[in-house]
């Protein structure tokens, strides 16, 4: 019934910024001097949802995080009711223990042994990736914590050309500079080429730089590609480099017996980013950084604030985990995941992942059969990302070349604009390298059915037929 109701509703009721700022039908963003009535407050709540985006809609394909899990929502409500903080056991005893249980479970699924592993829940994959560079740098030169960047030689880190922008952003934030990030060439499928990584490391050494870190991606943002983790691990072992796996998007596949082989070699990583708020459909935010060496997060970040982390408390103060974090206040992100795991079990998450990848295969098959569309690459999707162009009738007779590319580049943005105005479905687009704007459809909502995918394709054809 909920599925039918959602499909009858819009994904969004779009208005331009100036329209929302000016106010609509009794909805105003302005803040009053005096309290408003309960009736108006309820109107404001209703309209906030009305004019927002329904990311739980089965026809929302725009971002990697989507879906609406009722158990997860219940967990978020209870978390807000508790309104506590994750820095010490004394104010958050149950949640602290839940975090420990979840971290151990996820470390085990990655493939680490019982005596390996540490971690912390973070506000998103970007911060999780930042932690990985932070601890890797600390391992190379612990003095950086007290003496700063002057204690370090010029460093180099490596990531693929298809990796997430957070690697360069983290290097900038940590004072390494974005130019310290060496971008490694990928194959046509979007996977890092190990021989190119080896060459990049040797080239950095020849320039007097100190290589210290490699980011491998398990599930790239655009293509959904998985870097060859085992081969990258061999190179990192040879050169004694920290190997991080950004599995923010692809980590959920570890829950699937059918698909976890795509992350073979992840057990050799020094650290892993994994976002349950993506493929596992946990409400935002829910991201984890896992670190293989116990105690390293604590050593790297500990400052021992005496008003929080007293050593003479009447319980085991090892459970005061807040000093592992670069934050002080830390939101409780563990309960909704713990509750969903209780409700679904590991098998339930696996089935959910399988369903999303089945949807991707269905879309891929439909696109191959339909001459109105062209796949960005012919390979079957590894993840739930499917990238394609819609070719309007006016372009089908044109030969490949600059003129066709220029005109095709304008198609996806125009369809997206019409799509937002209509509000019936939502999908993302982007250019990539030498490829002009194409649609990127991603599946992370298990409520999506084949008929929703058919609707998407029909809507694109309808909205773009006259372009």
């Amino acid at each position: 019934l909920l599925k039918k109701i959602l499909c009858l509703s819009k994904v969004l009721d779009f208005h331009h910024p100036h329209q929302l700022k000016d106010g609509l039908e009794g909805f105003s963003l302005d803040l009053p001097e005096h309290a408003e009535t309960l009736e108006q407050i309820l109107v404001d709540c209703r309209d906030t949802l009305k004019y927002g985006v329904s990311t739980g809609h089965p026809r929302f394909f725009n971002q990697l995080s989507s879906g609406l899990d009722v158990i997860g929502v219940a967990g978020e409500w209870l978390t807000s009711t508790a309104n506590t903080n994750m820095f010490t056991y004394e104010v958050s005893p149950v949640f602290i223990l839940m975090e420990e249980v979840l971290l151990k479970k996820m470390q085990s699924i990655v493939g680490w042994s019982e005596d390996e592993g540490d971690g912390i829940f973070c506000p998103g994959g970007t911060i999780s990736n930042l932690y990985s560079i932070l601890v890797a740098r600390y391992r190379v030169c612990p003095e950086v914590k007290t003496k700063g960047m002057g204690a370090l030689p010029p460093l180099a880190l490596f990531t693929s050309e298809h990796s997430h922008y957070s690697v360069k952003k983290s290097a900038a934030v940590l004072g390494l500079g974005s130019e310290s990030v060496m971008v490694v060439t990928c194959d046509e499928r979007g996977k890092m080429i190990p021989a190119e990584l080896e060459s990049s490391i040797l080239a950095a050494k020849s320039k007097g730089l100190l290589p210290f870190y490699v980011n491998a991606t398990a599930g790239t943002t655009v293509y959904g590609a998985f870097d060859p983790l085992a081969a990258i691990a061999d190179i990192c072992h040879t050169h004694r480099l920290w190997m991080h796996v950004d599995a923010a998007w692809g980590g959920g596949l570890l829950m699937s017996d059918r698909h976890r082989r795509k992350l073979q070699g992840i057990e050799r990583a020094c650290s892993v980013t994994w976002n349950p708020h993506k493929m596992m459909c946990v409400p935002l935010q829910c991201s984890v950084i896992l670190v293989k060496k116990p105690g390293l997060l604590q050593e790297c970040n500990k400052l021992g604030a005496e008003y929080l982390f007293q050593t003479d408390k009447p319980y085991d103060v090892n459970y005061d985990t807040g000093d592992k974090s670069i934050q002080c206040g830390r939101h409780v992100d563990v309960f909704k995941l713990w509750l969903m795991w209780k409700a679904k079990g590991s098998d339930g998450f696996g089935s959910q992942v399988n369903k999303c990848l089945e949807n991707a295969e269905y879309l891929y098959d439909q696109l191959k059969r339909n001459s109105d569309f062209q796949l960005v690459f012919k390979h079957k999707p590894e993840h739930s990302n499917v990238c394609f162009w819609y070719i309007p009738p006016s372009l089908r007779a044109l030969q490949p070349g600059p003129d066709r590319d220029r005109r095709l580049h304008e198609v996806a943005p125009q369809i997206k604009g019409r799509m937002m105005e209509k509000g019936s479905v939502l999908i993302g687009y982007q250019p990539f390298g030498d490829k002009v704007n194409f649609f990127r459809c991603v599946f992370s909502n298990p409520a999506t059915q084949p008929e929703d995918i058919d609707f998407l394709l029909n809507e694109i054809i309808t909205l773009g037929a006259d372009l």
Side-chain angles (χ1 to χ4, degrees):
L1 178 61
L2 178 61
K3 158 78 175 171
K4 290 180 179 177
I5 292 170
L6 281 171
C7 284
L8 290 171
S9 66
K10 288 185 172 186
V11 177
L12 75 159
D13 184 358
F14 178 75
H15 291 80
H16 291 279
H18 72 272
Q19 294 173 307
L20 287 176
K21 289 171 75 173
D22 290 344
L24 292 165
E25 300 173 353
F27 177 61
S28 173
L29 296 172
D30 294 336
L31 297 173
E33 293 299 320
H34 305 290
E36 293 185 339
T37 65
L38 177 58
E39 180 182 20
Q40 181 60 49
I41 296 298
L42 293 173
V43 168
D44 290 341
C45 290
R46 181 201 67 197
D47 288 349
T48 296
L49 291 176
K50 172 179 167 58
Y51 299 124
V53 178
S54 178
T55 59
H57 200 291
R59 293 172 183 170
F60 176 82
F61 307 106
N62 210 70
Q63 257 70 47
L64 304 183
S65 52
S66 66
L68 180 64
D69 188 278
V70 175
I71 300 297
V73 171
E76 194 69 81
W77 282 342
L78 189 144
T79 296
S80 296
T81 301
N83 193 32
T84 190
N85 206 316
M86 286 293 288
F87 39 48
T88 62
Y89 179 85
E90 68 181 276
V91 298
S92 197
V94 180
F95 295 139
I96 289 284
L97 295 180
M98 283 178 178
E99 183 173 52
E100 179 186 53
V101 167
L102 283 165
L103 290 170
K104 285 184 180 294
K105 184 71 171 178
M106 296 172 83
Q107 290 155 13
S108 172
I109 291 170
V110 164
W112 294 347
S113 65
E114 184 68 26
D115 60 343
E116 294 175 322
D118 197 355
I120 199 166
F121 278 70
C122 301
T126 292
I127 303 300
S128 293
N129 286 341
L130 185 146
Y131 269 108
S132 71
I133 299 174
L134 182 68
V135 294
R137 185 180 66 177
Y138 178 81
R139 189 198 67 154
V140 169
C141 183
E143 292 84 1
V144 70
K145 180 177 177 179
T146 52
K147 296 180 181 177
M149 292 297 293
L152 288 172
L155 298 178
L157 54 158
F158 305 84
T159 194
S160 88
E161 60 183 334
H162 281 249
S163 66
H164 195 259
Y165 71 89
S166 59
V167 177
K168 282 191 174 182
K169 177 169 279 193
S170 297
V173 168
L174 292 171
L176 297 168
S178 60
E179 290 182 2
S180 68
V181 180
M182 308 296 151
V183 177
V184 181
T185 305
C186 293
D187 63 20
E188 63 175 5
R189 182 61 187 84
K191 298 170 179 286
M192 183 191 289
I193 301 172
E196 294 291 336
L197 172 62
E198 180 85 34
S199 297
S200 295
I201 293 168
L202 295 174
K205 288 181 176 181
S206 70
K207 295 174 183 175
L209 303 175
L210 176 63
F212 78 106
Y213 170 100
V214 174
N215 173 69
T217 308
T220 58
T221 307
V222 179
Y223 283 7
F226 290 80
D227 286 341
L229 302 183
I232 292 170
D234 289 341
I235 293 170
C236 289
H237 177 75
T238 298
H239 293 278
R240 299 173 63 98
L241 306 182
W242 183 281
M243 177 184 172
H244 176 67
V245 175
D246 178 3
W249 178 220
L253 272 64
L254 291 168
M255 305 301 297
S256 165
D257 291 338
R258 189 185 306 171
H259 295 288
R260 64 169 291 121
R261 59 180 173 74
K262 296 171 184 176
L263 293 92
Q264 185 176 356
I266 194 172
E267 71 281 355
R268 297 175 63 186
C270 301
S271 58
V272 174
T273 290
W274 181 352
N275 286 8
H277 69 229
K278 290 191 168 79
M279 184 53 66
M280 294 170 72
C281 211
V282 179
L284 286 162
Q285 63 193 30
C286 191
S287 175
V288 172
I289 175 67
L290 305 174
V291 179
K292 197 168 195 176
K293 183 179 179 182
L296 191 59
L297 269 172
Q298 183 86 353
E299 293 171 25
C300 179
N301 296 313
K302 180 179 179 180
L303 285 176
E306 293 181 346
Y307 72 95
L308 275 178
F309 307 117
Q310 304 93 338
T311 58
D312 53 358
K313 292 180 180 180
Y315 59 83
D316 184 351
V317 295
N318 288 317
Y319 288 100
D320 286 355
T321 56
D323 230 5
K324 292 195 295 186
S325 171
I326 57 177
Q327 303 166 250
C328 179
R330 190 161 63 92
H331 186 258
V332 176
D333 294 326
V334 300
F335 181 69
K336 55 197 170 188
L337 175 56
W338 180 88
L339 197 65
M340 286 175 64
W341 216 307
K342 285 277 190 175
K344 295 174 185 289
S346 301
D347 292 343
F349 278 124
S351 297
Q352 189 171 295
V353 168
N354 292 343
K355 174 68 184 302
C356 291
L357 269 71
E358 286 166 9
N359 281 336
E361 288 190 27
Y362 178 83
L363 174 57
Y364 171 78
D365 290 339
Q366 297 304 108
L367 291 168
K368 283 179 66 179
R369 296 190 186 104
N370 193 326
S371 60
D372 294 346
F373 297 95
Q374 181 182 333
L375 289 158
V376 171
F377 49 84
K378 294 186 173 17
H379 307 278
K380 184 178 177 180
E382 280 192 297
H383 204 334
S384 74
N385 309 49
V386 184
C387 301
F388 60 94
W389 289 284
Y390 168 67
I391 313 297
S394 65
L395 299 186
R396 290 174 197 168
L398 290 182
Q399 294 298 312
D403 181 54
R404 182 181 185 273
D405 284 349
R406 178 186 58 78
R407 293 171 64 180
L408 183 58
H409 187 66
E410 298 171 356
V411 170
Q414 290 184 71
I415 292 176
K416 178 65 176 282
R418 294 175 179 184
M419 192 178 280
M420 293 178 71
E421 292 284 352
K422 189 173 179 182
S424 56
V425 66
L426 210 59
I427 182 175
Y429 74 87
Q430 70 283 304
F432 199 91
D434 61 351
K435 295 178 173 62
V436 300
N437 281 323
F438 55 85
F439 290 111
R440 179 202 65 164
C441 189
V442 287
F443 298 94
S444 58
N445 185 351
T448 299
Q449 302 296 330
E451 56 262 33
D452 299 307
I453 299 168
D454 294 337
F455 181 90
L456 167 69
L457 296 182
N458 290 332
E459 199 75 336
I460 289 173
I461 292 170
T462 301
L463 294 173
D466 65 337
L467 295 177

